Amino acid sequence: MTDMTEALPISTGRRGGPPRSEEARLAILRATARLFLERGFGHLSIEGIAAEAGVGKQTIYRWWPGKSDLVAEALIEGFLMPEHFAPSFTGTLRDDLASWMRIVLDFVDDPGHDEMLRSLLAAGTTNPAIGERIRERLGADGDLVHRLEKGVTDGELPPTAPISSIIELLVGAIVLRVFAPSNRDDGEAERLVDVVLGTHTARGQ
Amino acid sequence: MTDMTEALPISTGRRGGPPRSEEARLAILRATARLFLERGFGHLSIEGIAAEAGVGKQTIYRWWPGKSDLVAEALIEGFLMPEHFAPSFTGTLRDDLASWMRIVLDFVDDPGHDEMLRSLLAAGTTNPAIGERIRERLGADGDLVHRLEKGVTDGELPPTAPISSIIELLVGAIVLRVFAPSNRDDGEAERLVDVVLGTHTARGQ
Amino acid sequence: MTDMTEALPISTGRRGGPPRSEEARLAILRATARLFLERGFGHLSIEGIAAEAGVGKQTIYRWWPGKSDLVAEALIEGFLMPEHFAPSFTGTLRDDLASWMRIVLDFVDDPGHDEMLRSLLAAGTTNPAIGERIRERLGADGDLVHRLEKGVTDGELPPTAPISSIIELLVGAIVLRVFAPSNRDDGEAERLVDVVLGTHTARGQ
Amino acid sequence: MTDMTEALPISTGRRGGPPRSEEARLAILRATARLFLERGFGHLSIEGIAAEAGVGKQTIYRWWPGKSDLVAEALIEGFLMPEHFAPSFTGTLRDDLASWMRIVLDFVDDPGHDEMLRSLLAAGTTNPAIGERIRERLGADGDLVHRLEKGVTDGELPPTAPISSIIELLVGAIVLRVFAPSNRDDGEAERLVDVVLGTHTARGQ
DNA sequence: GTGTAACCGAGACGGTACGTCTAGTCTTGTA
DNA sequence: TACAAGACTAGACGTACCGTCTCGGTTACAC
């Protein structure tokens, strides 16, 4: 049917028909973000997104399997929680980590973010990509690892320190705080960091 | 909350008519548990529960505000996750905590529990009572505190140790593991405990 | 489950729950009629009927299998084509039949009825009840038979006259006229009647 | 319709580009016929036809206004109901007509044809061309007229006989039979013919 | 030859409606 | 009054098609 002798565009996605509309894609993600922030994941509906975006429902179903995938992509594209938290490399390990933790906890404890974060968690129970994206936004996958590794080379942490476990504990404490809000006093960020670094005994707590 | 004085003939909380049917209540909770475990929180419906329990929908709406409350009560009554995890008091703090953590992590990592736990998390994002109940089941509210306090009196932990923060970190790591499964190698339980106790440097990790 | 020893309310339709709402039923049929007349059978939608009637879609699907059944019932209830055509018994058979036919043909040929009648035919291809109802409205099932039988007793028709075939031919000609409009000159009604009565040769056509 | 004057350089029907693909046209009509016979007019879809024919939807919309037109053309091309019924000219008018009617009624009463004929009727309520085509297939436009005219010249019918009305009645009875199936006994064909020819009294009915 | 115009298959688009499912409320009859 | 049953309005679900538009590619005629 088609000429086999020429260059053969190896594995081109083109299969006939017009290309996917980027305009529609962005309108959908924007609508998703807007409604998610406004009403939460539980009251998010494909129907509502389609209407808000001025798009047919099929255009959504054509490209996304379900609403949690929409949320995941909106998150990736930065329509949801554009913040990115990274520890600084300017002070001691303990101080850099503590100030990072303080910023994250301030964000998480902000009542204005509560609904959104709980909704994100709800969406995440369905879609692993959302969990990954949240970790990434918290800096847990890159910057945090780097900072801790620098702590090792700087001699602030023993070479045997289980870096990923430390991160797991810190991120876990953050997520738990969204899931089941606990004590919110001012020193909590430092306290958590001190526990995982073993520096609390040295301090006058 | 209702009627503390008994036997008051006039204007009591008792308002005439038959008392609440315990039979119906239990049938509803049992049906909730069965459908929750079978299909997950996302596919749980009041309609389905009523049908499964052989009960009118109104009987459910009369006593519970929403489905997450049903799940919370089913959890409390032990129809869901009857397990209760408590650390032992028989060895060193580090060992008691590590074996507790190992048992919890084994439970959490069991693929057969994954759906249920994620569903529980999803339900928890809506209803704080569920989060509290999960903490309680993990022993985080009582036994764990006691074990750590004993660690202080035993001199295994300094008096200044921030017990609640330590628990926050451990429980957080557990919840995070449900939310976003990470590395599942065998030493993780010990490693996490060692980090929060500051005992990891002493060990040959 | 239920006590089999007592009176047993033999086959009572009542199975608990409120009785069917007559109000909703009539609102639905009225809406069906209105939209049918306005837009025709092809553009009739359950969704539109529900909206027009101020009713949930499920209430329609609960009681009617499809839209042609709605149309059939609207027809039965007289919301559609309330006219009823019956031949008179006052003149000769030929004259009574001819004037009946003239009235029917005038109705059928009225451009204002064309859409409705074609739509009725379309609905009838799906649902036999509609065809029956149309025959009934044309008087084909009762009055016409009676008039022809009177023709036999009056000696205007031989006792062997195949009455039902005569009616079949007349009704067929009417239906065909809706389906595929043909010549509409003034004498057609008489001509058709004369043919089936064998009276045309006697006339100066 | 196209190009009346030849050789006109400007504003000819030909406007450049390849001629219409006969292959595509036939594939479409064949697919239309297949799906029409398989699923009926109500479940016929342009989308389905395009897929079945291996053709783009636009190729259909380019040449046909709607699906009833596709059905009409499929009917014309003989993909649907290829039968053609014509009365013979070999016996008396009454016998030729009766045997024609018997054949037509056998065809119409065949349960295997019922769905198709009702679908054809449904399509016909939308598109007059279909009605015309059905008449033509029944022989109602040509052969039947000729046979009746021969009956006049043979003296079997008076010169005043309203031939088109007779045909109207016969065809009407046939169509009515599809629309609302009635008695199907064996003598019906003869009886109908006898009524319109006025020959029934002469017979021992 | 090289445009230009219309053809073709493919399929994305904004929509409408489908028939199903569930939410939460209301209305029966029975105990 | 609680209960089982179930009808009610409301509206989201995911699917099927509608008719239009847009690709990339392919003919045919006109220059």
Side-chain angles (χ1 to χ4, degrees), chain A residues 35-166:
Chain A
L35 296 174
F36 180 90
L37 293 173
E38 218 168 65
R39 309 214 255 266
F41 185 66
H43 297 94
L44 194 63
S45 72
I46 300 278
E47 206 120 280
I49 293 169
E52 170 85 12
V55 133
K57 286 202 290 173
Q58 200 55 44
T59 301
I60 298 180
Y61 285 110
R62 188 154 29 229
W63 302 109
W64 290 277
K67 38 186 164 175
S68 69
D69 306 273
L70 279 165
V71 172
E73 190 160 334
L75 194 53
I76 290 168
E77 296 283 359
F79 293 110
L80 246 29
M81 201 174 77
E83 293 83 0
H84 188 275
F85 302 95
S88 58
F89 283 68
T90 53
T92 62
L93 175 60
R94 193 267 177 191
D95 289 343
D96 283 349
L97 246 43
S99 74
W100 167 81
M101 195 64 170
R102 215 177 307 114
I103 292 170
V104 171
L105 253 39
D106 280 350
F107 180 82
V108 160
D109 288 344
D110 182 336
H113 295 147
D114 190 67
E115 244 300 287
M116 187 263 278
L117 291 171
R118 296 177 80 88
S119 271
L120 229 34
L121 235 52
T125 57
T126 287
N127 194 325
I130 290 172
E132 288 166 25
R133 233 53 213 177
I134 292 174
R135 290 178 85 103
E136 183 249 352
R137 278 303 202 275
L138 292 174
D141 289 331
D143 306 298
L144 210 50
V145 176
H146 297 331
R147 187 62 193 85
L148 285 163
E149 283 170 350
K150 179 164 181 288
V152 172
T153 61
D154 288 355
E156 297 181 281
L157 223 46
T160 58
I163 292 182
S164 73
S165 295
I166 292 172

Side-chain angles (χ1 to χ4, degrees), chain B residues 16 18 21 55 59 63:
Chain B
S21 159
V55 132
T59 301
W63 303 109

Side-chain angles (χ1 to χ4, degrees), chain C residues 118 125 160 165 168 182 205, chain D residues 118 125 158 160 168 182 188 205:
Chain C
R118 296 178 80 89
T125 58
T160 57
S165 295
E168 215 65 12
S182 43
Q205 299 265 359
Chain D
R118 295 177 81 88
T125 58
T160 58
E168 216 65 12
S182 44
E188 186 64 6
Q205 300 262 0

Side-chain angles (χ1 to χ4, degrees), chain C residues 118 121-122 124-125 131 135 158 160 162 165-166 168-169 171-173 175-176 179-180 182 188 191-192 195-196 200-201 205, chain D residues 118 121-122 124-125 131 135 158 160 162 165-166 168-169 171-173 175-176 179-180 182 188 191-192 195-196 200-201 205:
Chain C
R118 296 178 80 89
L121 236 53
T125 58
R135 290 177 86 104
T160 57
S165 295
I166 292 172
E168 215 65 12
L169 287 159
V171 173
V175 166
L176 182 62
F179 182 68
S182 43
E188 185 64 6
R191 225 174 296 129
L192 292 169
V195 169
V196 297
H200 57 102
T201 48
Q205 299 265 359
Chain D
R118 295 177 81 88
L121 235 53
T125 58
R135 290 178 85 104
T160 58
S165 294
I166 291 171
E168 216 65 12
L169 287 159
V171 172
V175 166
L176 183 62
F179 182 67
S182 44
E188 186 64 6
R191 226 172 296 131
L192 293 169
V195 168
V196 297
H200 58 102
T201 48
Q205 300 262 0

